[in-house]
Amino acid sequence: MTARPTAPPDPALETAVDRLLAHAGGQLVLAAPLGLGKPHRLLNAITRRVAADEALSLHLLTALSLTPPPAGKGLQRRFLAPFLARQFGEDFPVLDYAVAMRRNALPANIRVEEFYLQSGALLGSTSTQRDYVSLNYTHVARAVAARGANALVQKVAREPGGTRLSLSCNPDLSFDLLDEVQRLGKPRPMLVAEVDPNLPWLDGPCAVPAEFFDLVLDHPAPAPRLFALPREPVGDADHAIGLYASTLVRDGGTLQIGIGSLADALCHALVLRHTRNDDYLAALDALSPGLAQSPLVRKVGGTAPFSQGLYGASEMVNDGFRALAQAGVLSRRVLDDVGAMVRINRDQATTQDRERLAREGRWLDGAFYLGSHALYDWLRDMPADQARGIGMTRVSHINQLYGAHEALEREQRRDARFFNTCMMMTALGAAVSDALEDGRVVSGVGGQYNFVAMAHALDDARSVLMLRARRGHGRHATANVRWNYGHVTIPRHLRDIVITEYGIADLRGRSDGECVQAMAAIAHADDQAPLLEAARKSGKLDAGFRAPADWSANTRAALAARLEPLRLAGVLPDYPMGSDFTPEEQRLAAALGWLAARTSHPAGRIATVLAAMLGEQGSDEAAMERMGLQRPRGFGERLEARLLRHALAKSRVHPEPTARS
C-alpha cells in the first residue's frame, strides 16, 4: 500500500499508534464507527505503520468507509474535479485502506471486515466481497465483541467551555460494544478518541466524561472539512414515490426514513403537506386522482397539515429530518418514562407531565448522522433549548423493540411508519436491497430488516419499501419489479406496503395471487405481461386474468406529463433539500445525467453522437465556461462540446421558487 505525500508525522499521533500496538501486542483488532465517526488521520497512521512492518497485523472491524468518488475522465472529470475540490477540500484525509481496497491492493497483514459498504463502490473489490460480514445493524456489536476487538478509535466533539466529550455523530455501536464485551467476559478494549473541532457538539445520551476514553487526541488546527454527502437531484419517479408515501404518514405518529433521493422526495412531500397544503393536494390529484380519499390513505395515513406533529426515531439523521424540523413537522415529543407516556398517549397527562415534556421531551432520536454541510451547520448552530430535543443514542435503542425498555418504546413509537429503499421487489413481495444475484454486495442490510420486522411487531405500525419501477433508459431499461430473483434481503412473509412511481401496493395479509396483481399494477406497463405470464405458469394467477386497461398508463412519458406543470411551477423542484451545486452546475448535472442515460450502450452512443453533430445545440455559455469548453481545441474537445451543448438543449432543470438553506 503506497502512502500519498503527507505532512510531517504528528508526535502525539505516532505516540497513540505506539500505545495501541503495545496494548494489542502488535496484533491489533480494531473497531471503528461507520461513516463520519472515523478518525481518518489516526486510521491512516495505524495502517501505514502496520503496512511497513510484516511483524504487525491489523484486523479492522467497521462499515461505510467514506471516500470521495474519483473524478473519472472526459466530461465527468471536467464536471467533478472542481466540485470535489470544493466539496471536500484539498486537504481531506482519504482513507488509505479504503483506496487500497478499491484497487485490490491491501497488504497481506491488513484485513478489513465491513458490514455496510459505500453503495456500489466495491463491487469489484475481491477482498471486500470476501470479507464482508452480513449482519443486522443490531447484531454488529455482538459480532465485533466476539471477534475479540482489543481497541476502538472514534472521532468526538468537545463540550464548548467544558471538559466532556460527545460521541455526537456515532454513538450507535460504541456503548453496545462495551456492554457485549462485558457480557462475554472479555477484556475491555482500549478506547482512543480524536477531537474534531468541526464536529457538532451534542449533549444527552451521547455525552461522556473525558475519562471514558483511555487516550484523547486533539486534531491540530485547521481541521479539514467533515465528509459531506452531495445532495442528489430528485426526478419525476422520485417525486411521485415521495408523494404517494407521504399520504401514509399519520399525524401524531413516528417516522423512520433511509437515505437518498427517495427519502428526500418523501420529506419534501411531507413539508408540502404541512406548509403548502393546497399545492400538496393539487400534486396528489395530478398524480393520482382520488388518492387523498382512498380507503388506504384514510385508514393508514392522511393528507392534512400536522397539528400534533411527528416524532423521529431513525438510525440515521439526515437532511430530510433537518427539513422536517425547520418546517415544524417534527414537533411531537417523547419522554423516557413509560408511565408518563401512557398518560400522554391517552390524553390523561398531568401538569407535571406536560411541563416535563416541554423541558425534557425529545422530538428526534437517532443512532448516527450523515449528510450535507448544511446538516452539520444546522446541528452545530442549533440553540441549546432546541438541541435538547435530539437524542443521539445507541442503535439497540433505535432499531430494536425487544428488551428491558420494550413497554416504553411501544408507547413512544405510536403509529410508526418505517420508510426504506430497495433495489428490486419480487411479485410475491420479497425485497432485494443489499446484494446482487451472484452474491456480490452492493451496500448492506443495515437496519432495514430490523425496521420491517418492527413494523409487524407494533400493533399500529407499517413498513413501506420504496423503489423505482425500472432502471436504465429506452430499450435497454430493465424491470425492478421481478417475478423472482436469486437473492433477497426481506423475505416475502414480511411483505407489507410497496410503492413505485406508479402507485401503492398494500401486501400485508394478502394471498400470493393478490400480491401478484397488486405488484403488477405498480410495475411499468412493458413489464406487466411477463410478470402475469410467470404467475399463471406457477399457478399463482387465474389463467383468464388480464391486466386492466388503465395499467397501460404506467409509463415514464405519462408520469412526466402529469408532473410537468408542478415541476415548472416549482412545487416539485430538482433539489428540494437544497443543492451543493452552483446554478451552472445544476444545469450541467441535468445535462450530464441525460447524456449518461442515452450513451450507456453502443447503439445509444452512436445515435447520440450523430444527434449532437446534426441536431439542436444549447447556448448556455456560463455552463460551457464552467466546463472549460467555451473555446474547444482539437477533435476530442470539439466533440465533447457538441455533446454537452446538445445535452444542455435537451435536458431541463426544475428550480424551487424560494431559496432553501
Side-chain angles (χ1 to χ4, degrees):
M1 183 166 59
T2 303
R4 297 178 311 283
T6 60
D10 181 338
L13 199 63
E14 295 305 316
T15 299
V17 177
D18 290 339
R19 288 185 58 179
L20 281 164
L21 290 171
H23 171 80
Q27 313 304 306
L28 191 57
V29 183
L30 183 65
L34 62 80
L36 197 61
K38 289 184 179 62
H40 285 208
R41 197 175 64 112
L42 177 57
L43 283 166
N44 280 346
I46 293 168
T47 55
R48 290 168 188 172
R49 181 80 67 86
V50 172
D53 188 345
E54 294 180 356
L56 303 174
S57 70
L58 169 63
H59 186 179
L60 179 61
L61 307 166
T62 189
L64 197 57
S65 298
L66 296 169
T67 305
K73 57 185 179 180
L75 288 173
Q76 178 180 311
R77 182 173 187 82
R78 288 177 180 274
F79 178 76
L80 276 182
F83 171 75
L84 294 175
R86 185 178 76 239
Q87 176 77 2
F88 298 102
E90 299 287 356
D91 58 347
F92 185 83
V94 176
L95 288 164
D96 285 352
Y97 75 81
V99 174
M101 288 163 65
R102 289 189 178 191
R103 297 173 177 170
N104 285 310
L106 271 180
N109 59 343
I110 296 179
R111 182 182 181 188
V112 181
E113 289 187 1
E114 296 195 87
F115 70 88
Y116 200 92
L117 310 177
Q118 199 164 352
S119 185
L122 293 162
L123 287 169
S125 170
T126 54
S127 66
T128 302
Q129 294 296 327
R130 182 177 61 246
D131 291 331
Y132 167 78
V133 181
S134 185
L135 292 167
N136 280 345
Y137 204 168
T138 49
H139 298 162
V140 172
R142 180 182 68 192
V144 173
R147 286 283 204 226
N150 50 35
L152 180 146
V153 296
Q154 178 142 13
K155 180 185 290 189
V156 300
R158 178 172 279 122
E159 182 179 20
T163 60
R164 292 184 301 157
L165 302 174
S166 173
L167 276 59
S168 187
C169 58
N170 280 90
D172 48 335
L173 290 170
S174 300
F175 299 129
D176 285 340
L177 172 60
L178 295 179
D179 287 350
E180 282 296 317
V181 166
Q182 184 177 33
R183 185 183 68 82
L184 294 174
K186 292 178 176 288
R188 184 178 186 271
M190 181 179 178
L191 306 183
V192 179
E194 183 175 63
V195 178
D196 189 325
N198 292 328
L199 196 66
W201 161 266
L202 291 174
D203 209 335
C206 61
V208 296
E211 296 76 25
F212 178 83
F213 290 95
D214 300 295
L215 180 62
V216 178
L217 302 170
D218 282 290
H219 198 298
R225 303 185 82 189
L226 298 175
F227 188 101
L229 298 175
R231 286 167 284 187
E232 301 177 55
V234 174
D236 289 341
D238 303 340
H239 273 305
I241 292 168
L243 286 166
Y244 280 121
S246 68
T247 66
L248 304 179
V249 177
R250 178 168 290 171
D251 188 17
T254 305
L255 182 67
Q256 178 267 326
I257 56 175
I259 188 173
S261 60
L262 295 184
D264 289 352
L266 165 59
C267 291
H268 175 68
L270 291 172
V271 170
L272 272 182
R273 172 177 161 181
H274 185 62
T275 62
R276 298 161 57 187
N277 196 251
D278 288 345
D279 285 339
Y280 173 72
L281 293 175
L284 294 182
D285 195 55
L287 176 66
S288 179
L291 174 64
Q293 291 77 40
S294 67
L296 179 64
V297 171
R298 288 180 176 274
K299 177 183 177 182
V300 173
T303 59
F306 296 95
S307 58
Q308 301 176 62
L310 302 178
Y311 157 63
S314 189
E315 66 182 24
M316 179 176 175
V317 174
N318 57 25
D319 281 275
F321 282 113
R322 173 179 64 88
L324 293 171
Q326 290 173 332
V329 175
L330 292 183
S331 57
R332 183 171 80 84
R333 291 175 176 258
V334 302
L335 293 170
D336 287 338
D337 181 329
V338 66
M341 288 305 307
V342 167
R343 292 189 293 273
I344 290 166
N345 287 343
R346 287 154 184 75
D347 295 325
Q348 299 169 356
T350 65
T351 300
Q352 184 182 25
D353 291 336
R354 287 189 288 270
E355 290 174 348
R356 285 186 62 199
L357 202 62
R359 184 178 63 253
E360 305 171 21
R362 298 188 313 281
W363 43 270
L364 176 60
D365 282 328
F368 74 98
Y369 62 76
L370 181 63
S372 70
H373 289 297
L375 173 68
Y376 307 149
D377 291 342
W378 175 66
L379 291 170
R380 190 182 299 111
D381 300 336
M382 190 179 296
D385 59 341
Q386 184 183 4
R388 281 194 292 272
I390 299 179
M392 298 302 298
T393 186
R394 57 179 72 203
V395 76
S396 60
H397 169 64
I398 298 295
N399 290 37
Q400 188 165 278
L401 180 66
Y402 309 115
H405 305 293
E406 180 177 343
L408 172 64
E409 290 170 359
R410 284 183 176 275
E411 293 294 336
Q412 291 176 335
R413 299 176 191 187
R414 70 186 193 201
D415 290 314
R417 300 293 180 265
F418 303 110
F419 292 95
N420 289 282
T421 300
C422 60
M423 299 187 298
M424 289 172 275
M425 292 284 302
T426 72
L428 295 175
V432 182
S433 306
D434 67 311
L436 303 179
E437 199 161 24
D438 62 7
R440 285 181 299 155
V441 181
V442 176
S443 54
V445 177
Q448 185 171 118
Y449 185 95
N450 294 126
F451 290 120
V452 172
M454 198 188 308
H456 289 273
L458 290 167
D459 293 334
D460 52 8
R462 299 301 299 264
S463 162
V464 183
L465 294 179
M466 306 181 293
L467 75 159
R468 300 172 191 90
R470 276 191 155 192
R471 62 183 181 275
H473 179 77
R475 61 190 180 90
H476 299 290
T478 55
N480 286 333
V481 180
R482 304 289 190 97
W483 171 246
N484 204 4
Y485 198 70
H487 166 82
V488 299
T489 313
I490 306 297
R492 78 190 208 196
H493 71 271
L494 291 177
R495 58 198 181 197
D496 202 337
I497 293 176
V498 181
I499 299 177
T500 75
E501 62 268 40
Y502 303 121
I504 305 171
D506 183 4
L507 308 183
R508 180 179 280 197
R510 305 298 184 191
S511 68
D512 279 0
E514 291 169 327
C515 285
V516 170
Q517 292 184 43
M519 290 299 296
I522 64 170
H524 188 279
D526 292 344
D527 302 325
Q528 293 162 6
L531 284 177
L532 298 176
E533 181 60 25
R536 292 187 197 99
K537 288 182 177 179
S538 299
K540 297 294 185 180
L541 201 60
D542 290 340
F545 179 85
R546 294 295 179 267
D550 60 345
W551 289 11
S552 64
N554 290 5
T555 66
R556 289 172 173 172
L559 179 66
R562 292 198 297 274
L563 297 186
E564 184 67 3
L566 298 160
R567 302 280 265 153
L568 293 175
V571 176
L572 303 177
D574 284 348
Y575 294 90
M577 296 298 114
S579 179
D580 302 290
F581 296 136
T582 65
E584 290 79 14
E585 287 170 339
Q586 290 182 34
R587 297 195 296 274
L588 286 165
L592 293 173
W594 183 93
L595 195 60
R598 285 153 182 81
T599 58
S600 58
H601 293 272
R605 284 195 290 275
I606 294 170
T608 305
V609 169
L610 289 174
M613 299 303 292
L614 303 173
E616 183 181 1
Q617 293 282 294
S619 58
D620 192 331
E621 296 310 311
M624 297 301 292
E625 183 175 358
R626 163 61 176 80
M627 295 286 280
L629 287 172
Q630 71 275 34
R631 288 180 293 276
R633 292 178 294 183
F635 175 78
E637 285 194 2
R638 286 196 294 272
L639 178 58
E640 287 183 337
R642 296 284 299 188
L643 285 167
L644 184 57
R645 287 187 183 277
H646 180 64
L648 285 165
K650 293 293 185 181
S651 58
R652 187 192 294 273
V653 174
H654 301 95
E656 192 169 12
T658 56
R660 183 187 297 245
S661 61

